[in-house]
Amino acid sequence: MDSQVEADGGPEMLPGFICASFNQDTTSLSVGTKTGYRLFSVTAVDKLDCIHEGVECPDVCIVERLFSSSLVVVVSQSVPRRMNVYHFKKGTEICNYSYTNNILSVRLNRQRLVVCLEESIYIHNIKDMKLLKTLLNTPTNPSGLCALSVNHGNSFLAYPGSATIGEITVYDANNLSTVTLIQAHASPLAALTFNASGTKLASASEKGTVIRVFGIPEGLRLFEFRRGMKRYVSISSLSFSADTQFLCASSNTETVHIFKLEQHSPSQEDASPTWSAYVGKMFTAASTYLPAQVSDMMHQDRAFATVRLNMFGLKNICALATIQKLPRLLVASSDGYLYIYNVDPQDGGECMLVQKHRLFDGNEEQAEEKDEETPAEVSNQPAGQSYAATVALTSSPPSSTTLLGYSEDGGAQKGDVIPEHEFAEGPVCLDDENEFPPVSN
């Protein structure tokens, strides 16, 4: 059994907090609460603007925004089989769809909207919400783990190919065909994420000790990082930087790791015959005579930079972003705060907390604490269930309402829901008079 920490192993979760997610380019943070949802702009360090507070439905367990547009997808714990699509600036519902089982996650880019249930996946054309493909009888996926490339030019979709081992199925959501199967880990998967271009895929297993990066579409292993060896953890989120130079990983522990994706050049090592290079060559030579597990461990890179959180055992998601021209690490936690850290792209090391923002009570004074963090003591609580970023908490019982699902040729066919300018490259200019006409389902 994996040794993981339950949420009650640390500070109490803030009442009302249910889920959180960053948008596709990490310029916005969405938070689901007991009363609805909130959308925040995260384009500045010292200021956190709440740009919208939605109260259309309570107990929001999934909320996803399409880049910086007015399109937001919401799922409520009170009706967990129904997905609502809103134009939040107009306060209107574009459409809503119901499925045969609880919705566990939703992913979207400018071309596709993907809905993940425990044993099936639905792929929609986001412009008119027509159902394009239903992947039935997928391996049991109780956390709704999946990842969709934000690059709509390829729209690669990754999801578990097995419920017992860490196999990844990579699917082309544009051409509706399987691309490759990747044998990523010995244990079941816990986290998946693509880089911005959809050319790299990072994964972690339920053990949480090793993070691997694969080239897409070939599925070849490119990098392997060791998060730790002392204990198994539950990886809650993985996220690449926009330039794919860095990869961050958060878990239910007090440490967030940042790894640097750089190929080690043998010619450079030969050109600088230092003592460390000599020792490294000795280890490389010795590894050929050691067991495979030990040899693999010696070839795994350690964290380039780290963050020590002042919490332990709480759900959180992390993301790397460039804010005001500097690299930052963002951590949104179920304690109700967004933490912003500086990242040194040259030397790495311990990242410094520069700002802390309160995510609730938006009319109250913003929390701008810059106190030094003190690591929480490690707790020896029993293991908890693994989870993926933005997945609904399972504390509330599922709805007993039986709703009809989709057929293969289902979905709305009522013209464009989202105008073409929403899918253009670069900044999105919103036209609130003409975009997102309400569509009844």
Side-chain angles (χ1 to χ4, degrees):
M1 293 294 291
D2 293 350
S3 176
Q4 300 167 350
V5 181
E6 288 186 335
D8 59 1
E12 287 296 321
M13 185 180 300
L14 188 74
F17 182 98
I18 300 178
C19 68
S21 67
F22 291 102
N23 68 341
Q24 294 82 359
D25 56 5
T26 323
T27 58
S28 176
L29 173 66
S30 306
V31 177
T33 71
K34 290 291 184 183
T35 58
Y37 65 93
R38 291 185 177 187
L39 305 178
F40 297 92
S41 173
V42 288
T43 55
V45 171
D46 293 329
K47 187 178 181 182
L48 183 69
D49 288 328
C50 181
I51 56 180
H52 179 71
E53 184 168 0
V55 293
E56 296 90 347
C57 55
D59 302 322
V60 171
C61 56
I62 296 174
V63 53
E64 296 284 345
R65 184 184 182 190
L66 178 63
F67 288 90
S68 297
S69 75
S70 296
L71 179 76
V72 61
V73 178
V74 175
V75 178
S76 170
Q77 285 182 336
S78 59
V79 192
R81 300 183 180 188
R82 187 175 70 198
M83 174 184 70
N84 299 86
V85 183
Y86 294 110
H87 182 302
F88 73 81
K89 287 195 174 180
K90 287 186 176 181
T92 58
E93 181 182 82
I94 297 173
C95 55
N96 67 79
Y97 292 90
S98 298
Y99 301 83
T100 56
N101 210 333
N102 291 358
I103 300 170
L104 300 179
S105 62
V106 176
R107 300 288 180 262
L108 57 162
N109 62 25
R110 291 187 173 103
Q111 193 74 19
R112 296 289 181 259
L113 185 149
V114 175
V115 178
C116 183
L117 313 186
E118 185 168 356
E119 294 182 345
S120 58
I121 295 176
Y122 296 81
I123 301 173
H124 297 263
N125 179 26
I126 200 170
K127 293 185 181 182
D128 57 11
M129 286 304 295
K130 178 181 178 181
L131 180 67
L132 301 176
K133 185 69 174 180
T134 305
L135 303 175
L136 297 173
N137 302 316
T138 55
T140 301
N141 184 9
S143 68
L145 175 62
C146 67
L148 178 67
S149 167
V150 301
N151 178 9
H152 60 279
N154 51 48
S155 292
F156 290 130
L157 171 68
Y159 60 91
S162 170
T164 57
I165 61 173
E167 180 179 272
I168 306 171
T169 298
V170 180
Y171 189 85
D172 185 337
N174 282 348
N175 296 312
L176 305 178
S177 60
T178 300
V179 176
T180 188
L181 298 177
I182 302 174
Q183 306 300 321
H185 304 271
S187 301
L189 298 169
L192 293 168
T193 192
F194 284 101
N195 67 338
S197 62
T199 57
K200 291 181 175 62
L201 172 66
S203 67
S205 75
E206 289 183 351
K207 290 185 177 180
T209 55
V210 175
I211 295 166
R212 296 190 171 105
V213 178
F214 302 90
I216 302 298
E218 296 82 5
L220 299 177
R221 186 191 302 182
L222 303 178
F223 300 94
E224 186 167 81
F225 303 107
R226 177 159 288 274
R227 196 211 57 81
M229 298 189 324
K230 295 181 181 179
R231 51 181 170 168
Y232 294 159
V233 302
S234 178
I235 299 292
S236 56
S237 67
L238 295 172
S239 180
F240 285 97
S241 59
D243 58 7
T244 316
Q245 287 190 355
F246 301 98
L247 172 68
C248 63
S250 68
S251 67
N252 59 342
T253 71
E254 71 282 3
T255 307
V256 177
H257 296 78
I258 301 175
F259 304 98
K260 192 170 186 178
L261 282 71
E262 57 182 352
Q263 298 286 356
H264 299 291
S265 173
S267 60
Q268 291 179 352
E269 293 181 1
D270 293 338
S272 56
T274 62
W275 171 250
S276 60
Y278 173 76
V279 173
K281 289 182 179 180
M282 292 291 290
F283 272 112
T284 301
S287 67
T288 60
Y289 302 98
L290 295 173
Q293 289 182 333
V294 179
S295 177
D296 288 346
M297 196 183 308
M298 294 171 65
H299 287 91
Q300 291 162 351
D301 290 329
R302 301 300 192 268
F304 171 75
T306 57
V307 164
R308 301 283 289 181
L309 304 174
N310 62 349
M311 69 196 78
F312 182 85
L314 290 184
K315 290 191 177 186
N316 61 75
I317 56 171
C318 64
L320 292 162
T322 299
I323 301 178
Q324 296 170 315
K325 299 182 179 181
L326 293 175
R328 320 280 188 174
L329 174 73
L330 309 178
V331 180
S333 170
S334 57
D335 68 353
Y337 285 90
L338 172 68
Y339 300 87
I340 302 178
Y341 297 84
N342 279 345
V343 179
D344 186 335
Q346 300 299 324
D347 300 324
E350 186 78 14
C351 299
M352 182 178 66
L353 176 69
V354 292
Q355 198 57 266
K356 175 181 174 183
H357 293 290
R358 188 187 302 275
L359 297 176
F360 292 87
D361 301 321
N363 295 327
E364 296 179 359
E365 182 179 357
Q366 291 283 356
E368 298 181 353
E369 301 174 20
K370 298 183 181 181
D371 299 333
E372 292 292 327
E373 290 187 291
T374 56
E377 293 185 359
V378 176
S379 172
N380 293 319
Q381 295 293 327
Q385 185 179 1
S386 63
Y387 52 86
T390 75
V391 169
L393 304 180
T394 57
S395 56
S396 298
S399 171
S400 60
T401 305
T402 301
L403 301 175
L404 296 178
Y406 282 117
S407 62
E408 188 66 38
D409 59 351
Q413 302 181 43
K414 300 183 180 180
D416 284 347
V417 172
I418 306 173
E420 289 299 324
H421 72 258
E422 289 288 359
F423 303 95
E425 296 291 344
V428 175
C429 299
L430 298 177
D431 179 4
D432 281 344
E433 293 302 317
N434 299 311
E435 67 170 346
F436 304 144
V439 176
S440 60
N441 186 28

